Coordinates of all heavy atoms in Angstrom, one line a residue:
M1 N -109.2 -61.0 -29.7 CA -110.3 -61.3 -30.6 C -110.0 -60.7 -32.0 O -110.4 -61.3 -33.0 CB -111.6 -60.8 -30.0 CG -112.7 -61.1 -31.0 SD -114.3 -60.5 -30.4 CE -114.8 -59.6 -31.8
F2 N -109.3 -59.6 -32.0 CA -109.2 -58.9 -33.3 C -108.2 -59.7 -34.3 O -108.4 -59.6 -35.5 CB -108.6 -57.5 -33.2 CG -109.6 -56.6 -32.5 CD1 -109.4 -56.1 -31.2 CD2 -110.8 -56.3 -33.1 CE1 -110.3 -55.3 -30.6 CE2 -111.7 -55.5 -32.5 CZ -111.5 -55.0 -31.2
F3 N -107.3 -60.5 -33.7 CA -106.4 -61.3 -34.6 C -106.9 -62.7 -34.7 O -106.1 -63.5 -35.3 CB -105.0 -61.2 -34.0 CG -104.5 -59.8 -34.0 CD1 -104.3 -59.1 -32.8 CD2 -104.2 -59.2 -35.2 CE1 -103.8 -57.8 -32.8 CE2 -103.7 -57.9 -35.2 CZ -103.5 -57.2 -34.0
D4 N -108.1 -63.0 -34.3 CA -108.6 -64.3 -34.5 C -109.0 -64.5 -36.0 O -109.6 -63.5 -36.6 CB -109.8 -64.5 -33.6 CG -110.4 -65.9 -33.7 OD1 -109.8 -66.8 -34.3 OD2 -111.4 -66.2 -33.0
I5 N -108.6 -65.6 -36.6 CA -108.9 -65.7 -38.1 C -110.4 -65.7 -38.4 O -110.8 -65.2 -39.5 CB -108.2 -67.0 -38.6 CG1 -108.3 -67.1 -40.1 CG2 -108.9 -68.3 -38.0 CD1 -107.4 -66.1 -40.8
R6 N -111.2 -66.1 -37.5 CA -112.7 -66.0 -37.7 C -113.2 -64.6 -37.8 O -114.0 -64.3 -38.6 CB -113.4 -66.8 -36.6 CG -113.1 -68.3 -36.5 CD -113.7 -68.9 -35.3 NE -113.0 -68.3 -34.1 CZ -113.3 -68.7 -32.9 NH1 -114.2 -69.6 -32.6 NH2 -112.6 -68.2 -31.9
T7 N -112.6 -63.7 -37.0 CA -113.0 -62.3 -37.1 C -112.5 -61.7 -38.4 O -113.3 -60.9 -39.0 CB -112.4 -61.5 -35.9 OG1 -112.7 -62.2 -34.7 CG2 -112.8 -60.1 -35.9
I8 N -111.3 -62.0 -38.8 CA -110.8 -61.5 -40.1 C -111.6 -62.0 -41.3 O -112.0 -61.2 -42.2 CB -109.3 -61.8 -40.2 CG1 -108.5 -61.1 -39.1 CG2 -108.8 -61.4 -41.6 CD1 -107.1 -61.6 -39.0
V9 N -111.8 -63.3 -41.3 CA -112.6 -63.8 -42.4 C -114.0 -63.3 -42.4 O -114.6 -62.9 -43.5 CB -112.6 -65.4 -42.4 CG1 -113.6 -66.0 -43.4 CG2 -111.2 -65.9 -42.7
G10 N -114.6 -63.2 -41.2 CA -116.0 -62.7 -41.1 C -116.1 -61.2 -41.6 O -117.0 -60.8 -42.3
S11 N -115.1 -60.4 -41.2 CA -115.1 -59.0 -41.6 C -114.9 -58.9 -43.2 O -115.6 -58.1 -43.8 CB -113.9 -58.3 -41.0 OG -114.0 -58.4 -39.6
L12 N -114.0 -59.7 -43.7 CA -113.9 -59.6 -45.2 C -115.1 -60.1 -45.9 O -115.6 -59.4 -46.9 CB -112.7 -60.4 -45.6 CG -111.3 -59.8 -45.3 CD1 -110.2 -60.8 -45.7 CD2 -111.1 -58.5 -46.1
L13 N -115.7 -61.2 -45.5 CA -116.9 -61.6 -46.1 C -118.1 -60.6 -46.0 O -118.9 -60.4 -46.9 CB -117.3 -63.0 -45.6 CG -116.5 -64.2 -45.9 CD1 -117.0 -65.4 -45.2 CD2 -116.5 -64.4 -47.4
G14 N -118.1 -60.0 -44.8 CA -119.2 -59.0 -44.6 C -119.0 -57.8 -45.5 O -119.9 -57.2 -46.0
L15 N -117.7 -57.3 -45.6 CA -117.4 -56.2 -46.5 C -117.8 -56.5 -47.9 O -118.5 -55.7 -48.6 CB -116.0 -55.8 -46.4 CG -115.5 -54.7 -47.3 CD1 -116.2 -53.4 -46.9 CD2 -114.0 -54.6 -47.3
Y16 N -117.4 -57.7 -48.4 CA -117.8 -58.1 -49.8 C -119.3 -58.2 -49.9 O -119.9 -57.9 -51.0 CB -117.1 -59.4 -50.2 CG -115.6 -59.3 -50.3 CD1 -114.8 -60.4 -50.0 CD2 -115.0 -58.1 -50.7 CE1 -113.4 -60.3 -50.1 CE2 -113.6 -58.0 -50.8 CZ -112.8 -59.1 -50.5 OH -111.5 -59.0 -50.6
G17 N -119.9 -58.8 -48.9 CA -121.4 -58.9 -48.9 C -122.1 -57.6 -49.0 O -123.1 -57.4 -49.8
I18 N -121.7 -56.6 -48.2 CA -122.3 -55.3 -48.3 C -122.1 -54.7 -49.6 O -123.0 -54.0 -50.2 CB -121.7 -54.4 -47.1 CG1 -122.2 -54.9 -45.8 CG2 -122.1 -53.0 -47.3 CD1 -121.5 -54.3 -44.6
I19 N -120.9 -54.8 -50.2 CA -120.7 -54.3 -51.5 C -121.6 -54.9 -52.6 O -122.2 -54.2 -53.4 CB -119.2 -54.4 -51.9 CG1 -118.3 -53.5 -51.1 CG2 -119.0 -54.2 -53.4 CD1 -116.8 -53.8 -51.2
L20 N -121.8 -56.2 -52.5 CA -122.7 -56.9 -53.4 C -124.1 -56.5 -53.2 O -124.9 -56.4 -54.2 CB -122.5 -58.4 -53.3 CG -121.3 -59.0 -54.0 CD1 -121.2 -60.5 -53.8 CD2 -121.4 -58.7 -55.5
V21 N -124.5 -56.3 -52.0 CA -125.9 -55.9 -51.7 C -126.2 -54.5 -52.3 O -127.2 -54.3 -53.0 CB -126.2 -55.9 -50.2 CG1 -127.5 -55.2 -49.9 CG2 -126.3 -57.4 -49.7
I22 N -125.3 -53.6 -52.1 CA -125.4 -52.3 -52.7 C -125.4 -52.3 -54.2 O -126.3 -51.7 -54.8 CB -124.3 -51.3 -52.1 CG1 -124.5 -51.1 -50.6 CG2 -124.3 -50.0 -52.9 CD1 -123.3 -50.4 -50.0
T23 N -124.5 -53.1 -54.7 CA -124.5 -53.3 -56.2 C -125.8 -53.9 -56.7 O -126.3 -53.5 -57.7 CB -123.3 -54.2 -56.6 OG1 -122.1 -53.6 -56.1 CG2 -123.3 -54.3 -58.1
G24 N -126.3 -54.9 -56.0 CA -127.6 -55.5 -56.4 C -128.8 -54.6 -56.3 O -129.7 -54.6 -57.2
L25 N -128.8 -53.7 -55.4 CA -129.9 -52.7 -55.2 C -129.8 -51.6 -56.2 O -130.8 -51.1 -56.7 CB -129.9 -52.2 -53.8 CG -130.3 -53.2 -52.7 CD1 -130.2 -52.5 -51.3 CD2 -131.7 -53.7 -52.9
V26 N -128.5 -51.1 -56.5 CA -128.4 -49.9 -57.3 C -128.2 -50.3 -58.8 O -128.8 -49.6 -59.7 CB -127.1 -49.2 -56.9 CG1 -126.8 -48.0 -57.8 CG2 -127.3 -48.7 -55.5
H27 N -127.5 -51.3 -59.1 CA -127.2 -51.6 -60.5 C -127.9 -52.9 -61.0 O -127.3 -53.8 -61.5 CB -125.7 -51.8 -60.7 CG -125.2 -51.9 -62.1 ND1 -125.3 -50.9 -63.0 CD2 -124.7 -53.0 -62.7 CE1 -124.9 -51.3 -64.1 NE2 -124.4 -52.6 -64.0
D28 N -129.2 -52.9 -60.8 CA -130.0 -54.1 -61.3 C -130.8 -53.7 -62.5 O -131.7 -52.9 -62.5 CB -131.0 -54.5 -60.2 CG -131.8 -55.7 -60.5 OD1 -131.2 -56.6 -61.2 OD2 -133.0 -55.8 -60.2
T29 N -130.3 -54.2 -63.7 CA -130.9 -53.9 -64.9 C -131.6 -55.2 -65.5 O -131.3 -56.3 -65.1 CB -129.9 -53.4 -65.9 OG1 -128.9 -54.4 -66.2 CG2 -129.2 -52.1 -65.4
V30 N -132.4 -55.0 -66.5 CA -133.1 -56.1 -67.2 C -132.1 -57.0 -67.9 O -132.2 -58.2 -67.9 CB -134.1 -55.5 -68.2 CG1 -134.8 -56.6 -68.9 CG2 -135.2 -54.7 -67.4
D31 N -131.0 -56.3 -68.5 CA -130.0 -57.1 -69.1 C -129.2 -58.0 -68.2 O -128.9 -59.2 -68.5 CB -129.0 -56.2 -69.8 CG -129.7 -55.5 -71.0 OD1 -130.6 -56.0 -71.6 OD2 -129.2 -54.4 -71.3
E32 N -129.0 -57.5 -67.0 CA -128.3 -58.3 -66.0 C -129.1 -59.5 -65.5 O -128.6 -60.6 -65.3 CB -127.9 -57.4 -64.7 CG -126.9 -56.4 -65.0 CD -125.5 -56.9 -65.2 OE1 -125.2 -57.9 -64.5 OE2 -124.7 -56.3 -66.0
E33 N -130.4 -59.2 -65.3 CA -131.3 -60.3 -64.8 C -131.5 -61.3 -66.0 O -131.8 -62.5 -65.7 CB -132.6 -59.8 -64.3 CG -132.5 -59.2 -62.9 CD -133.8 -58.9 -62.3 OE1 -134.8 -59.3 -62.8 OE2 -133.8 -58.2 -61.3
A34 N -131.5 -60.9 -67.2 CA -131.7 -61.8 -68.3 C -130.5 -62.8 -68.4 O -130.7 -64.0 -68.8 CB -131.8 -61.0 -69.6
K35 N -129.3 -62.4 -68.0 CA -128.2 -63.3 -68.0 C -128.3 -64.4 -66.9 O -127.7 -65.5 -67.1 CB -126.9 -62.6 -67.7 CG -126.5 -61.6 -68.8 CD -125.3 -60.8 -68.4 CE -124.9 -59.8 -69.4 NZ -123.7 -59.0 -69.0
T36 N -129.0 -64.1 -65.9 CA -129.1 -65.1 -64.7 C -130.5 -65.7 -64.6 O -130.8 -66.3 -63.5 CB -128.7 -64.3 -63.4 OG1 -129.6 -63.3 -63.2 CG2 -127.3 -63.8 -63.5
G37 N -131.3 -65.5 -65.5 CA -132.7 -66.2 -65.5 C -133.7 -65.4 -64.6 O -134.6 -66.0 -64.0
G38 N -133.5 -64.1 -64.5 CA -134.4 -63.3 -63.8 C -134.2 -63.2 -62.3 O -135.0 -62.7 -61.5
I39 N -133.0 -63.6 -61.9 CA -132.6 -63.5 -60.5 C -131.6 -62.4 -60.3 O -130.6 -62.3 -61.0 CB -132.1 -64.9 -60.0 CG1 -133.1 -66.0 -60.2 CG2 -131.6 -64.8 -58.5 CD1 -132.6 -67.4 -59.9
N40 N -131.7 -61.6 -59.2 CA -130.7 -60.6 -58.9 C -129.6 -61.3 -58.1 O -129.6 -61.4 -56.9 CB -131.4 -59.5 -58.1 CG -130.5 -58.3 -57.9 OD1 -129.3 -58.4 -58.2 ND2 -131.1 -57.2 -57.4
V41 N -128.6 -61.8 -58.8 CA -127.6 -62.6 -58.2 C -126.7 -61.8 -57.2 O -126.3 -62.3 -56.2 CB -126.7 -63.3 -59.3 CG1 -125.5 -64.0 -58.7 CG2 -127.5 -64.2 -60.2
N42 N -126.4 -60.6 -57.6 CA -125.6 -59.8 -56.7 C -126.3 -59.6 -55.3 O -125.6 -59.7 -54.3 CB -125.3 -58.4 -57.3 CG -124.3 -58.5 -58.4 OD1 -123.5 -59.4 -58.5 ND2 -124.4 -57.5 -59.3
L43 N -127.6 -59.3 -55.3 CA -128.3 -59.1 -54.1 C -128.3 -60.4 -53.2 O -128.0 -60.4 -52.1 CB -129.7 -58.7 -54.4 CG -130.6 -58.5 -53.2 CD1 -130.1 -57.3 -52.3 CD2 -132.1 -58.2 -53.6
W44 N -128.6 -61.5 -53.8 CA -128.7 -62.8 -53.1 C -127.4 -63.3 -52.6 O -127.2 -63.8 -51.5 CB -129.5 -63.9 -53.9 CG -130.9 -63.6 -54.0 CD1 -131.6 -63.1 -55.1 CD2 -131.9 -63.7 -52.9 NE1 -132.9 -62.9 -54.7 CE2 -133.1 -63.3 -53.4 CE3 -131.8 -64.1 -51.6 CZ2 -134.3 -63.3 -52.6 CZ3 -132.9 -64.1 -50.8 CH2 -134.2 -63.7 -51.4
A45 N -126.4 -63.1 -53.4 CA -125.0 -63.6 -53.0 C -124.5 -62.6 -51.9 O -123.9 -63.1 -51.0 CB -124.1 -63.5 -54.2
G46 N -124.8 -61.3 -52.0 CA -124.4 -60.4 -51.0 C -125.1 -60.7 -49.7 O -124.5 -60.7 -48.6
L47 N -126.4 -61.0 -49.7 CA -127.1 -61.4 -48.5 C -126.6 -62.6 -47.9 O -126.4 -62.7 -46.6 CB -128.6 -61.5 -48.8 CG -129.4 -60.2 -49.1 CD1 -130.8 -60.5 -49.5 CD2 -129.3 -59.3 -47.9
A48 N -126.2 -63.6 -48.7 CA -125.7 -64.9 -48.2 C -124.3 -64.6 -47.5 O -124.0 -65.1 -46.4 CB -125.5 -65.9 -49.3
L49 N -123.5 -63.8 -48.1 CA -122.2 -63.4 -47.5 C -122.3 -62.7 -46.2 O -121.6 -62.9 -45.3 CB -121.4 -62.6 -48.5 CG -120.7 -63.3 -49.7 CD1 -120.1 -62.4 -50.6 CD2 -119.7 -64.3 -49.2
V50 N -123.3 -61.8 -46.1 CA -123.5 -61.1 -44.9 C -124.0 -62.1 -43.8 O -123.5 -62.0 -42.6 CB -124.6 -60.0 -45.1 CG1 -125.0 -59.4 -43.7 CG2 -124.0 -58.9 -45.9
V51 N -124.8 -63.0 -44.1 CA -125.3 -64.0 -43.1 C -124.1 -64.9 -42.7 O -123.9 -65.1 -41.5 CB -126.4 -64.9 -43.7 CG1 -126.7 -66.1 -42.8 CG2 -127.7 -64.1 -43.9
V52 N -123.3 -65.3 -43.6 CA -122.1 -66.1 -43.2 C -121.1 -65.3 -42.4 O -120.5 -65.8 -41.4 CB -121.4 -66.7 -44.5 CG1 -120.1 -67.3 -44.2 CG2 -122.3 -67.7 -45.2
A53 N -120.9 -64.0 -42.7 CA -120.0 -63.2 -42.0 C -120.6 -63.0 -40.5 O -119.8 -63.0 -39.6 CB -119.9 -61.8 -42.6
A54 N -121.9 -62.8 -40.4 CA -122.4 -62.7 -39.1 C -122.2 -64.0 -38.3 O -122.0 -64.0 -37.1 CB -123.9 -62.4 -39.2
A55 N -122.3 -65.2 -39.0 CA -122.1 -66.4 -38.3 C -120.6 -66.5 -37.8 O -120.4 -67.0 -36.7 CB -122.4 -67.6 -39.2
F56 N -119.7 -66.1 -38.6 CA -118.3 -66.2 -38.2 C -118.0 -65.3 -37.0 O -117.3 -65.7 -36.1 CB -117.4 -65.7 -39.4 CG -116.9 -66.9 -40.2 CD1 -117.6 -67.3 -41.3 CD2 -115.7 -67.5 -39.9 CE1 -117.1 -68.3 -42.1 CE2 -115.2 -68.5 -40.7 CZ -116.0 -69.0 -41.8
V57 N -118.5 -64.1 -37.1 CA -118.3 -63.1 -35.9 C -119.0 -63.6 -34.7 O -118.4 -63.5 -33.6 CB -118.7 -61.7 -36.3 CG1 -118.6 -60.8 -35.2 CG2 -117.8 -61.2 -37.5
T58 N -120.2 -64.1 -34.8 CA -120.9 -64.7 -33.7 C -120.1 -65.9 -33.1 O -120.0 -66.0 -31.9 CB -122.3 -65.1 -34.1 OG1 -123.0 -64.0 -34.6 CG2 -123.1 -65.6 -32.9
W59 N -119.6 -66.7 -33.9 CA -118.8 -67.9 -33.5 C -117.6 -67.4 -32.7 O -117.2 -67.9 -31.7 CB -118.4 -68.7 -34.7 CG -117.6 -69.9 -34.5 CD1 -117.5 -70.6 -33.3 CD2 -116.7 -70.5 -35.4 NE1 -116.6 -71.7 -33.5 CE2 -116.1 -71.6 -34.8 CE3 -116.4 -70.2 -36.7 CZ2 -115.2 -72.4 -35.4 CZ3 -115.5 -71.1 -37.4 CH2 -114.9 -72.2 -36.7
A60 N -116.9 -66.4 -33.2 CA -115.7 -65.8 -32.5 C -116.1 -65.2 -31.2 O -115.3 -65.3 -30.2 CB -115.0 -64.8 -33.4
L61 N -117.2 -64.6 -31.1 CA -117.6 -64.0 -29.8 C -118.1 -65.0 -28.8 O -117.8 -64.9 -27.6 CB -118.8 -63.0 -30.1 CG -118.4 -61.7 -30.8 CD1 -119.6 -60.9 -31.1 CD2 -117.4 -60.9 -30.0
L62 N -118.8 -66.0 -29.3 CA -119.3 -67.0 -28.3 C -118.3 -68.1 -27.9 O -118.4 -68.6 -26.8 CB -120.5 -67.8 -28.9 CG -121.8 -66.9 -29.2 CD1 -122.9 -67.7 -29.8 CD2 -122.3 -66.3 -27.9
R63 N -117.3 -68.4 -28.8 CA -116.3 -69.4 -28.5 C -114.9 -68.8 -28.6 O -114.2 -69.1 -29.6 CB -116.4 -70.6 -29.4 CG -117.8 -71.3 -29.4 CD -117.8 -72.3 -28.3 NE -116.7 -73.2 -28.4 CZ -116.7 -74.5 -28.0 NH1 -117.8 -75.0 -27.6 NH2 -115.6 -75.2 -28.1
P64 N -114.5 -67.9 -27.7 CA -113.2 -67.3 -27.9 C -112.0 -68.3 -27.7 O -112.2 -69.3 -27.1 CB -113.1 -66.2 -26.8 CG -114.1 -66.7 -25.8 CD -115.2 -67.4 -26.5
V65 N -110.9 -68.0 -28.3 CA -109.8 -68.8 -28.2 C -109.2 -68.8 -26.8 O -109.0 -67.7 -26.2 CB -108.7 -68.4 -29.2 CG1 -107.4 -69.2 -29.1 CG2 -109.2 -68.5 -30.6
A66 N -109.0 -70.0 -26.2 CA -108.5 -70.0 -24.9 C -107.0 -70.3 -25.0 O -106.5 -71.3 -25.6 CB -109.1 -71.1 -24.1
V67 N -106.2 -69.4 -24.4 CA -104.7 -69.6 -24.4 C -104.3 -70.1 -23.0 O -104.6 -69.5 -22.0 CB -104.1 -68.2 -24.7 CG1 -102.5 -68.3 -24.6 CG2 -104.5 -67.6 -26.0
D68 N -103.6 -71.3 -23.1 CA -103.1 -71.8 -21.8 C -101.8 -71.2 -21.5 O -100.8 -71.4 -22.2 CB -103.0 -73.4 -22.0 CG -104.3 -74.1 -22.1 OD1 -105.3 -73.6 -21.6 OD2 -104.3 -75.1 -22.8
R69 N -101.7 -70.5 -20.4 CA -100.5 -69.9 -19.9 C -99.9 -70.7 -18.8 O -100.7 -71.0 -17.8 CB -100.7 -68.5 -19.5 CG -101.2 -67.6 -20.7 CD -101.4 -66.2 -20.3 NE -101.9 -65.5 -21.5 CZ -102.1 -64.2 -21.5 NH1 -101.7 -63.5 -20.5 NH2 -102.6 -63.6 -22.6
P70 N -98.7 -71.1 -18.8 CA -98.1 -71.8 -17.7 C -98.0 -71.0 -16.5 O -97.7 -69.8 -16.5 CB -96.7 -72.2 -18.2 CG -96.4 -71.3 -19.3 CD -97.7 -70.8 -19.9
E71 N -98.3 -71.6 -15.3 CA -98.2 -70.8 -14.1 C -96.7 -70.8 -13.7 O -96.0 -71.7 -13.9 CB -99.0 -71.6 -13.0 CG -100.5 -71.5 -13.3 CD -101.2 -72.2 -12.1 OE1 -100.7 -72.4 -11.0 OE2 -102.4 -72.6 -12.4
P72 N -96.3 -69.6 -13.1 CA -94.9 -69.5 -12.7 C -94.6 -70.5 -11.6 O -95.4 -70.8 -10.7 CB -94.8 -68.1 -12.2 CG -96.1 -67.6 -12.1 CD -97.1 -68.4 -12.9
D73 N -93.4 -71.1 -11.6 CA -93.0 -72.1 -10.6 C -92.6 -71.4 -9.4 O -91.6 -70.7 -9.3 CB -91.9 -72.9 -11.2 CG -91.5 -74.1 -10.3 OD1 -92.4 -74.4 -9.4 OD2 -90.5 -74.7 -10.5
S74 N -93.4 -71.5 -8.3 CA -93.2 -70.8 -7.1 C -92.2 -71.5 -6.2 O -91.8 -71.0 -5.1 CB -94.5 -70.5 -6.4 OG -95.1 -71.7 -6.0
A75 N -91.8 -72.7 -6.5 CA -90.9 -73.5 -5.6 C -89.5 -73.0 -5.7 O -88.8 -73.0 -4.7 CB -90.9 -75.0 -6.0
Q76 N -89.1 -72.5 -6.9 CA -87.7 -71.9 -7.0 C -87.8 -70.4 -7.0 O -88.6 -69.8 -7.8 CB -87.1 -72.4 -8.3 CG -86.8 -73.9 -8.4 CD -86.2 -74.3 -9.7 OE1 -86.0 -73.4 -10.6 NE2 -85.8 -75.5 -9.8
P77 N -87.0 -69.8 -6.2 CA -86.9 -68.3 -6.3 C -86.3 -67.9 -7.6 O -85.6 -68.6 -8.2 CB -86.0 -67.9 -5.1 CG -85.3 -69.1 -4.7 CD -86.1 -70.3 -5.2
S78 N -86.6 -66.7 -8.0 CA -86.1 -66.2 -9.3 C -84.5 -66.2 -9.3 O -84.0 -65.7 -8.3 CB -86.6 -64.9 -9.7 OG -86.2 -63.9 -8.7
G79 N -83.9 -66.6 -10.3 CA -82.4 -66.7 -10.4 C -81.9 -68.0 -9.9 O -80.7 -68.3 -10.1
A80 N -82.6 -68.8 -9.2 CA -82.1 -70.1 -8.8 C -82.2 -71.1 -9.9 O -83.0 -71.0 -10.8 CB -83.0 -70.6 -7.6
G81 N -81.3 -72.1 -9.9 CA -81.3 -73.1 -10.9 C -80.3 -72.8 -12.0 O -80.1 -73.5 -12.9
S82 N -79.6 -71.6 -11.9 CA -78.6 -71.3 -12.9 C -77.2 -71.7 -12.5 O -76.2 -71.1 -12.9 CB -78.7 -69.8 -13.3 OG -78.4 -69.0 -12.1
D83 N -77.1 -72.6 -11.5 CA -75.8 -73.0 -11.0 C -75.0 -73.8 -11.9 O -75.3 -74.7 -12.5 CB -75.9 -73.8 -9.6 CG -76.5 -72.9 -8.5 OD1 -76.2 -71.7 -8.6 OD2 -77.3 -73.4 -7.7

């Protein structure tokens, strides 16, 4: 599960989301909100990224990758067939 691309993408999006949420809560000034029309963009973008990250990780947990492994051929003993 750790090397599934959904887990890696979800983890990165979650990390970036957490950083943006913290930035939105700590560094929210009037000048920053004036640039965006009164909306705390860092906070909302961070929350959206955290939600998407949770969706990716949930998807990876609920639908794991199924690897088809061939069954060993029991008709031939090991070493046979190399004649």
Side-chain angles (χ1 to χ4, degrees):
M1 179 181 127
F2 293 113
F3 296 111
D4 187 4
I5 190 70
R6 298 171 293 182
T7 306
I8 295 168
V9 170
S11 300
L12 286 174
L13 289 176
L15 178 65
Y16 295 149
I18 291 170
I19 291 170
L20 280 176
V21 167
I22 292 171
T23 302
L25 292 174
V26 174
H27 187 66
D28 183 35
T29 62
V30 176
D31 293 334
E32 294 287 328
E33 284 192 12
K35 293 178 186 177
T36 60
I39 299 171
N40 190 350
V41 176
N42 287 335
L43 179 64
W44 287 106
L47 289 174
L49 284 174
V50 169
V51 168
V52 171
F56 267 90
V57 173
T58 303
W59 179 24
L61 289 173
L62 294 178
R63 303 273 310 211
V65 175
V67 178
D68 293 331
R69 297 184 184 185
E71 294 183 18
D73 190 13
S74 60
Q76 293 181 356
S78 60
S82 60
D83 295 326

